[in-house]
Amino acid sequence: MHSTIKQLSRLCIAATATLGLVLLPSCDEDILNQTNPSAITPNSFYQTADDAVKAIIGAYSPFTDIWYYTRMNIFATDYRDDLVNGFGTSERTDPGRFAAESNKNMVAWTWAPAWKIISRANAILAYVPNIEMDAEEKAAILAEARFLRAYNYFLLVQTYRNLPLVTEPIDLEEARTVSQVDPQQIYDLIIADLKAAQTALPAQWPADQTGRATSGAATGYLARVYMSQLDYVNARPELLRAMNSGQYELMADYADNFEEASENNKESLFEIQLVSDGNSGWGGDAPGAGKGAGYMQDIAPPPAFTGQDGMRINQWALDLFLDERTVDGHVDPRAFTTLFFDSDETTPYQGRELGPTIYGGQTYDEVFPGSDFVFNKKYLDLEAGYTTASQGWHFSGNNFRVLRYADILLLFAEAEFQLNGSTPEALAAINQVRARANMPAFTIITMQDIMDERVKELSMERTRYQDLLRWGLVEELIVNRPGVKSESGGTGAYRPGREYFDIPDSELNNNPNFKHNPGYE
């Protein structure tokens, strides 16, 4: 049965439309601005347990907005890291070359849907407590709202850094008076929300509710937030909590994490539920419109498999994969799952022979004769047997996994290493990930080993730029190596502070308290 979250386009979520703006409009007493008595308002909507359920399901809806996970989030994440070399100078490659100024479209596009979810979460937290309903169900919904608020605030603070702290519904006039706060206040709220969610969310939902946040998702994200602040002392026990929960384990086949047939599996802590509807449109709240993985167009090798500008992968990433061999002397199977590159080799893995092939079994030499570019392969809908470009937008229903157990293991190895060195516990965690790929076990590790393993395991999963940010390596590995962004003009736009986006013009123009971020003044 399809999950409730995955079928958002078929749900009646009209009642949440009044919560779609970041901030709610107030009533005007002027005779020319009468309130429509038939309009749904928060006070009139939140009456029953069914209303509460509709509201929380509606809060997930912006995840499927084209400005968020169905497409544009890829440009705010993977396209900014040191693996991806985006083709062309455009609004989509602006962030990767440190040109995310306040007037750029990507800056506004990335901002809006996350705030929409935060607004809906705030409304749920304000109004659902007054509904008479089952106490346990109410607690779970409130915890879910806190998870969603924390999740989106985390993405925003990692992208824009200097934000207002809004924790309850406010009207448009109030919205023009809020001020940016110290980022630590945002992190404090995120941590408090995730701790609350962790204790009240269920370990799992019924099958027809798959996709809703769980206690494990809250635990995993709490650990990720601590890691973003290099707070290994607090991150380590949360990572252990996830590891010892009995809820998660690695899939035997690495590729199962990136195929539609094996989504919501035992390795996944949280994923964005996408639907192969084949429809055009912008997704989000529009029923049945554009809920598929439209970003496939932006990660497929151009021009053979997409009409978009696309990108290539920098050679250093492939070299890292090829620097060591499996226990039986083959190329790391993750290389053939992640990358499309020229090779005469193959790797036996999980009953298959992996090699330099893509849609329809075409080889690299057949598609790109004489080329030596490296392209992405991960998350392409190879199992469907068609190219996204030939079918149009939103034909892939492949969920995006935003947090999986392999990441938890590698984060634990890092936290343990930073606190205690190359201990048996750190080795066991990283070697569990390597064993799945038939890679030889480490007997001792360095921080560089952990960093390299994260590239091999997690490339093109929207984690690399966050890693560089928390390690303080954005300038060293991107700015000081302009070749990694050579296809979009290099990194000459960089100024200190431009590791983050600027605040959108729409916000700066409507609120005199908002200031440009450092590096954009």
Side-chain angles (χ1 to χ4, degrees):
M1 181 180 292
H2 289 294
S3 71
T4 293
I5 305 301
K6 196 172 181 69
Q7 293 300 311
L8 276 172
S9 62
R10 296 179 176 85
L11 288 177
C12 177
I13 56 173
T16 66
T18 58
L19 314 178
L21 297 175
V22 174
L23 307 159
L24 298 174
S26 61
C27 295
D28 192 326
E29 296 301 322
D30 190 277
I31 190 68
L32 298 178
N33 294 285
Q34 292 293 309
T35 300
N36 180 356
S38 300
I40 297 174
T41 67
N43 284 325
S44 65
F45 171 69
Y46 288 95
Q47 301 295 320
T48 68
D50 185 57
D51 296 335
V53 172
K54 288 177 180 176
I56 194 63
I57 297 302
Y60 286 86
S61 185
F63 278 135
T64 63
D65 199 305
I66 194 171
W67 313 125
Y68 215 172
Y69 278 101
T70 58
R71 190 179 182 205
M72 294 302 179
N73 178 261
I74 194 76
F75 299 108
T77 52
D78 284 342
Y79 263 67
R80 296 169 72 195
D81 70 25
D82 55 341
L83 283 85
V84 172
N85 204 334
F87 287 123
T89 301
S90 70
E91 59 202 6
R92 289 164 289 179
T93 56
D94 282 338
R97 61 189 185 88
F98 301 102
E101 289 97 354
S102 62
N103 64 337
K104 298 295 179 67
N105 281 331
M106 271 302 303
V107 172
W109 291 343
T110 303
W111 176 272
W115 278 111
K116 189 180 288 188
I117 295 177
I118 290 171
S119 175
R120 295 179 184 191
N122 284 341
I124 290 165
L125 291 166
Y127 295 105
V128 168
N130 297 324
I131 295 177
E132 291 188 12
M133 57 186 294
D134 177 79
E136 187 175 347
E137 183 182 18
K138 179 189 290 189
I141 287 174
L142 294 174
E144 212 171 346
R146 296 191 73 169
F147 172 85
L148 291 174
R149 182 169 69 180
Y151 181 104
N152 287 277
Y153 254 128
F154 184 54
L155 179 135
L156 287 168
V157 75
Q158 290 274 292
T159 306
Y160 298 89
R161 186 163 174 79
N162 296 298
L163 306 169
L165 184 63
V166 182
T167 59
E168 58 187 28
I170 59 176
D171 63 33
L172 290 177
E173 289 307 312
E174 291 174 300
R176 296 187 178 99
T177 67
V178 298
S179 298
Q180 293 150 298
V181 300
D182 187 296
Q184 189 56 52
Q185 293 186 46
I186 304 295
Y187 282 109
D188 289 345
L189 174 72
I190 293 168
I191 290 169
D193 274 352
L194 290 174
K195 285 182 175 179
Q198 182 185 57
T199 59
L201 283 172
Q204 61 184 26
W205 293 88
D208 64 347
Q209 302 290 305
T210 298
R212 298 177 69 171
T214 63
S215 58
T219 297
Y221 260 89
L222 181 57
R224 182 175 276 183
V225 172
Y226 282 135
M227 292 295 287
S228 75
Q229 300 184 297
L230 304 184
D231 184 353
Y232 303 114
V233 170
N234 281 309
R236 185 180 181 278
E238 300 304 333
L239 292 162
L240 277 174
R241 186 194 301 261
M243 292 162 63
N244 295 333
S245 68
Q247 292 289 315
Y248 310 106
E249 59 183 280
L250 298 180
M251 297 292 288
D253 191 331
Y254 176 69
D256 279 344
N257 294 297
F258 319 110
E259 296 180 347
E260 188 172 354
S262 48
E263 59 195 16
N264 295 311
N265 61 46
K266 61 187 177 182
E267 189 167 338
S268 179
L269 278 74
F270 189 63
E271 53 193 78
I272 306 301
Q273 308 290 313
L274 301 173
V275 180
S276 179
D277 56 19
N279 294 334
S280 59
W282 304 113
D285 291 331
K291 306 266 183 209
Y295 72 91
M296 299 294 180
Q297 297 274 14
D298 304 298
I299 63 174
F305 303 112
T306 177
Q308 298 301 302
D309 292 338
M311 53 82 169
R312 66 179 175 91
I313 301 293
N314 286 307
Q315 181 67 37
W316 73 264
L318 174 59
D319 293 342
L320 184 64
F321 274 107
L322 300 180
D323 276 348
E324 57 175 341
R325 294 275 169 157
T326 65
V327 293
D328 46 3
H330 295 286
V331 173
D332 187 331
R334 295 173 297 183
F336 286 124
T337 301
T338 304
L339 306 175
F340 186 47
F341 58 99
D342 192 17
S343 176
D344 295 326
E345 298 189 70
T346 61
T347 296
Y349 182 68
Q350 294 294 319
R352 305 188 310 280
E353 196 74 17
L354 305 184
T357 59
I358 200 163
Y359 296 105
Q362 297 173 88
T363 67
Y364 187 93
D365 286 336
E366 289 172 333
V367 180
F368 298 111
S371 174
D372 60 357
F373 274 176
V374 181
F375 294 105
N376 173 67
K377 186 175 174 182
K378 185 181 284 186
Y379 268 115
L380 297 184
D381 216 353
L382 304 183
E383 60 184 320
Y386 52 70
T387 67
T388 54
S390 69
Q391 296 291 319
W393 298 92
H394 306 297
F395 268 84
S396 174
N398 194 7
N399 288 355
F400 182 74
R401 287 73 158 173
V402 291
L403 183 60
R404 57 187 181 88
Y405 188 56
D407 195 359
I408 296 295
L409 291 170
L410 292 178
L411 289 173
F412 175 80
E414 180 181 343
E416 175 67 13
F417 176 83
Q418 291 290 352
L419 292 171
N420 303 309
S422 186
T423 63
E425 291 79 9
L427 288 167
I430 194 170
N431 284 335
Q432 188 176 340
V433 173
R434 287 172 63 82
R436 194 245 303 267
N438 296 329
M439 301 303 292
F442 284 128
T443 57
I444 190 171
I445 53 171
T446 65
M447 187 59 197
Q448 190 62 54
D449 292 326
I450 296 169
M451 291 177 173
D452 290 348
E453 199 64 31
R454 289 187 66 79
V455 172
K456 296 173 185 178
E457 180 69 23
L458 300 168
S459 287
M460 297 305 298
E461 296 185 48
R462 309 187 195 187
T463 61
R464 174 67 176 174
Y465 189 81
Q466 282 190 356
D467 283 347
L468 297 181
L469 198 62
R470 68 190 176 89
W471 293 330
L473 293 176
V474 171
E475 189 168 359
E476 178 181 337
L477 295 185
I478 303 179
V479 179
N480 295 341
R481 296 165 61 206
V484 305
K485 299 298 178 185
S486 58
E487 301 294 350
S488 55
T491 57
Y494 175 78
R495 305 288 183 274
R498 289 198 172 199
E499 296 86 352
Y500 300 92
F501 288 11
D502 199 5
I503 304 300
D505 268 352
S506 58
E507 303 298 328
L508 293 167
N509 294 337
N510 288 319
N511 187 336
N513 294 325
F514 276 14
K515 307 299 180 187
H516 286 281
N517 273 335
Y520 298 98
E521 299 93 337

